[in-house]
Every structure is written in structure tokens, then in C-alpha cells.
Amino acid sequence: MNRTQETYLALLRKAVWNTQDEVSMENIDMHDLVRWAQIQGVGSLIYDQILSLAPSISEAFYTSIKSACLQTMLQQQQWEPVIAQAFAALEQGGVHATLMKGFSYARLYPKPYLRSWGDLDIYVGTEQYHTACGILRHAFPEAIHHDEEWDELKHYCFVFPDGKAIELHRVSMDFLSRRDQAYWNSLDDHHTEGATNRPQGLLIGQHPTIEVAVFEPRYDILFCFLHSWEHFTGSGIPLKQVCDIVLLLQHYYQSGCALPIADATNRPTGYEDRKAELEAYLLPKLKRLKMLEVWQYYGYMACQVMGVAPTQWPLLVDGGQCTVDGEIEQYGKRLYERVMVEGQARAKAYENGVNNRYEARDKAKQMNIFARKMLTLRQRLSSYYFLRQFAPRYARHILVEEILKGLRRTLTGAKMIDY
């Protein structure tokens, strides 16, 4: 790791933990610093720290990064009335909705308005899904959307003229295995924290202020991890998501905790009990979903990125020891190096000169069924060879499920969805 990358991580930790640590900006490649911040989704967090340190930078660069921070702040301000309108409409229509991902995680940061995010994600569940789609179509007639509400997909999308988008989720996660999906859906009965007339919801807007439900903290930690890993299997993990999950852990251990719990002298009251409770919640679910090894490798990576002790990550070290298992360290380091290099900007290669997934889908639709299945098999094998570098047992599990899904779709004559 070079000097610029070390400084980049130091600035990120300073922004997340709200410390007063001194960070030297001497001999830093500012171009690389900005590039890493962009591909990791933490631009405004890093830029704010650069501005506060007042390094010797050009007026043009100063204006550029300040404008980026203001844009992130303005985006959140513009979204608040949309969120309030969406949840008010759903509540009035009798739909219990939950705010998930981006906006709900921004509240965890010392400066919530600098945590960038894209689409608005709302979870409603399978039973309320079609009703909720109709309600939001009526509430936002200007939004573009699909005519069909496919039960095969995990969300329904509304795209506004200014580029904003709402993703209305049937399910919070979409698993290859029907058994895994059914198990995950069974957890939804106890997944929310705070709602109308409850004290722990998230307050949105000012005049008027409405309260919306967010995920229950333990469920949210598990979901945040699974969602982040889903990104790794596709386009890569932005460090923004790593910051999210570590902050979720901190706030679970002690609400409002602003510093990493590095040792026993810095642990809040009840820390050990809450950690044990969280481990008891996570262990059977991670094992059931074949994700325990991935959780541990991801945890090693997250601790390296955010500068926290391995003992703080649930289920990472055994018997209270601080030493990380050799296999966890091996695959965790490999994952860490990959995440630091690519962020969310992994290059995607398509066959036969295709440039994007939409072209790939259209070309695949023109193939006969045998050629299409062979193309899919090559893609699945390529994904397996990639993933086994970082989580071999998980990669084998996914390959088996991919093959079973392909056979099932072939036997049932399932058609490709134009989405």
C-alpha cells in the first residue's frame, strides 16, 4: 500500500469516526486520491476532510470538491419530500413500508448529508407488493415504470424525469435457491424497527415530519452484509458499504457510539452481552445460507479498512482470542486487496463485442435455446472461477444452485424477462 492509499484510508476513518486525528497531506497524489474516493462511493466524505485540512490545492480543485459536497447535500434535501410523499401514500393505502439501504444508513454518519446514495429503496414484502405498486403509480404519475409487476424480480422501479428512482422491493434479498429464499422470507416477520406510533423510527422531513420504519438492527446488519456481498459478486464492493456495516455494528453495540471499540478500556456498558446476543442471532442464519466463511472473510477486510480490532467483528475470532484463523486471514487479505483496487468499478467483459448487459440480453434472446444455455453455463463457470479465489466453499454452493436453477427454468420453459 502506497502513501496516497494510506492517507486515503486515514481520511475515510476520520470522516466515519469523527476523530480529530492529524492527517498529513504531503507527497500525496491528489488525482489518485480523488479516483479512489469516486470508485469507492465516498467522494463527499473524503472531500470534506480535504477541505477541513486546508491543504495547498488549486482554486479550481477546491471549487470542484466543494461543489461535489454541496451536490450530495442538495440531493438529500431534494429527496426528503419525495420520501415523505411515498410513505404517506403507502400508509394511507394500508401498506406497511420499510425504508432500507442508502437514506436509512446516512443517519449513522457524523455528517449524514455527506453519505452519498442513489435510488430510494422501499421494502413492502410479497403480500403488499402489488397493492403498493398501484399506490405509487397513482402518487407519482410523472414517473416511468414497467407495465408488468413481475413476481420473479425483487423490485419494481419508478424513474422520475430528473433521474431519481424509487425501487419498491418485494423481497429484500433475491437468492438463487428456493429453499434459501423461503428461509430468508421467513425472517421478515420480525425485521422492522420503528414505525408509525413507535418510538424508534426514522424522522423524515420538517413541515410536516413523518416517521418511517427501518430494519431491526440485527436484521439490518445481516442484510447490509448480504447486499454488499451481492455487489461483490457482480460489480464490486464500494467502501461506502463497508462503512455502513461497521457503523451498524457500532450503533448496535452502543447507540450513538462514534469511536471504534478497539480494546476493553473503550467498550460501552453491556458490550459483551450485546455482542454475544448478535452472534447467537447471526450464526444459525449464516450457516443456513452457506455464508459463514464469507462473513468472516468480509469481516477481516472490513476491520482492515476501518481500523477496528478483529474481536469487534462477530464470529471472527474464536474463544476471545485476538488471533485471526490462518484461512480467514488468507482469503480476507485477498478480498481486501481486491476491494481496495476496484471498488464498485469492476470491468465487465461481454462476449462477441457486446458493450453492456442490455445488448447482451437482446443478443441472447435471438439465440436458439441450446446456444443460450451454453452461453449461460460459460458465464456461470466464469463467475465460479472468480469467486473461488475469495470464498471457495461459497463458490461451489453457488455453482450448484446456478445449475439447478438453469435446469428448472429449462424444464418449465421459463422465458427471459425484458427488464
Side-chain angles (χ1 to χ4, degrees):
M1 185 180 295
N2 61 35
R3 167 72 177 153
T4 301
Q5 202 167 30
E6 290 175 352
T7 302
Y8 164 64
L9 285 179
L11 292 173
L12 182 61
R13 294 166 185 166
K14 191 171 184 293
V16 170
W17 301 128
N18 197 29
T19 66
Q20 301 302 313
D21 298 344
E22 292 292 330
V23 179
S24 172
M25 299 294 292
E26 294 182 6
N27 301 319
I28 298 302
D29 186 328
M30 297 300 290
H31 175 77
D32 271 354
L33 189 65
V34 169
R35 181 178 61 84
W36 278 322
Q38 289 175 340
I39 67 173
Q40 301 285 0
V42 293
S44 294
L45 293 170
I46 297 295
Y47 303 155
D48 179 62
Q49 293 302 313
I50 295 174
L51 292 171
S52 69
L53 293 170
S56 178
I57 57 177
S58 69
E59 183 176 349
F61 181 64
Y62 177 89
T63 302
S64 174
I65 62 175
K66 186 174 182 180
S67 296
C69 292
L70 292 173
Q71 185 176 4
T72 302
M73 296 164 64
L74 182 62
Q75 180 193 35
Q76 292 209 17
Q77 186 180 38
Q78 292 172 339
W79 260 115
E80 285 206 358
V82 179
I83 298 172
Q85 182 181 350
F87 275 82
L90 291 168
E91 181 182 353
Q92 190 173 21
V95 172
H96 174 67
T98 304
L99 182 65
M100 56 190 286
K101 296 196 288 189
F103 200 89
S104 71
Y105 294 154
R107 76 190 192 279
L108 305 172
Y109 288 74
K111 296 181 178 180
Y113 45 83
L114 292 177
R115 195 280 189 192
S116 63
W117 55 289
D119 301 334
L120 171 64
D121 293 275
I122 301 175
Y123 172 83
V124 293
T126 54
E127 293 184 5
Q128 305 178 109
Y129 175 64
H130 296 292
T131 300
C133 288
I135 290 171
L136 291 193
R137 280 197 298 267
H138 179 74
F140 301 106
E142 73 278 19
I144 300 171
H145 52 78
H146 281 273
D147 295 329
E148 294 187 54
E149 300 162 11
W150 290 290
D151 286 335
E152 293 87 352
L153 300 179
K154 68 178 180 180
H155 58 66
Y156 185 86
C157 196
F158 297 84
V159 180
F160 293 83
D162 62 358
K164 291 189 183 73
I166 296 177
E167 291 185 352
L168 189 66
H169 288 252
R170 291 179 60 255
V171 292
S172 54
M173 288 295 304
D174 188 18
F175 291 88
L176 285 169
S177 164
R178 289 181 173 180
R179 297 186 306 275
D180 290 348
Q181 190 67 57
Y183 174 73
W184 179 256
N185 291 348
S186 73
L187 304 178
D188 287 351
D189 292 340
H190 307 287
H191 77 282
T192 56
E193 178 87 358
T196 304
N197 300 323
R198 294 191 199 174
Q200 297 185 35
L202 179 62
L203 298 178
I204 300 292
Q206 296 181 350
H207 304 293
T209 297
I210 72 165
E211 183 184 11
V212 301
V214 294
F215 283 151
E216 187 273 329
R218 295 172 305 172
Y219 180 96
D220 211 359
I221 290 167
L222 180 58
F223 162 74
C224 185
F225 156 69
L226 291 171
H227 172 252
S228 185
W229 182 253
E230 183 180 50
H231 271 260
F232 180 74
T233 63
S235 57
I237 298 175
L239 287 191
K240 174 175 63 177
Q241 293 177 351
V242 178
C243 296
D244 290 343
I245 191 169
V246 174
L247 282 171
L248 281 167
L249 282 170
Q250 295 299 322
H251 281 250
Y252 176 80
Y253 292 144
Q254 178 181 348
S255 179
C257 181
L259 294 171
I261 304 167
D263 53 47
T265 63
N266 193 32
R267 291 176 181 169
T269 303
Y271 165 80
E272 295 293 349
D273 291 340
R274 288 183 67 76
K275 184 183 177 188
E277 177 189 7
L278 181 59
E279 290 182 331
Y281 174 86
L282 292 173
L283 184 59
K285 298 170 179 61
L286 290 167
K287 284 185 173 180
R288 173 64 181 75
L289 295 169
K290 307 293 191 297
M291 295 289 286
L292 180 57
E293 65 157 349
V294 183
W295 167 267
Q296 292 172 324
Y297 304 157
Y298 189 106
Y300 180 91
M301 179 270 296
C303 289
Q304 294 295 308
V305 168
M306 299 309 298
V308 297
T311 51
Q312 189 179 342
W313 189 268
L315 305 171
L316 183 57
V317 296
D318 185 33
Q321 302 299 315
C322 293
T323 304
V324 176
D325 176 84
E327 182 182 276
I328 295 175
E329 184 176 11
Q330 175 190 352
Y331 287 104
K333 278 185 175 179
R334 196 174 293 173
L335 178 62
Y336 172 53
E337 291 166 0
R338 184 79 184 208
V339 169
M340 288 301 299
V341 168
E342 70 180 7
Q344 60 188 350
R346 181 183 302 153
K348 178 70 173 178
Y350 295 93
E351 295 187 19
N352 303 322
V354 175
N355 296 315
N356 57 60
R357 66 187 180 98
Y358 302 106
E359 288 184 22
R361 179 198 62 195
D362 292 340
K363 192 162 187 176
K365 287 175 64 177
Q366 298 171 17
M367 298 177 178
N368 63 57
I369 187 169
F370 178 76
R372 191 163 64 240
K373 294 304 177 184
M374 290 302 297
L375 173 64
T376 301
L377 179 59
R378 287 198 302 272
Q379 292 171 341
R380 298 300 177 249
L381 288 173
S382 176
S383 177
Y384 163 73
Y385 292 132
F386 171 77
L387 287 176
R388 75 174 184 177
Q389 303 173 72
F390 309 98
R393 287 184 288 276
Y394 170 81
R396 289 193 294 272
H397 168 64
I398 290 300
L399 180 61
V400 170
E401 293 298 340
E402 288 276 18
I403 293 172
L404 291 175
K405 180 181 178 181
L407 290 172
R408 186 170 63 246
R409 287 179 59 83
T410 301
L411 293 173
T412 59
K415 296 180 180 180
M416 293 180 67
I417 296 176
D418 250 352
Y419 191 80

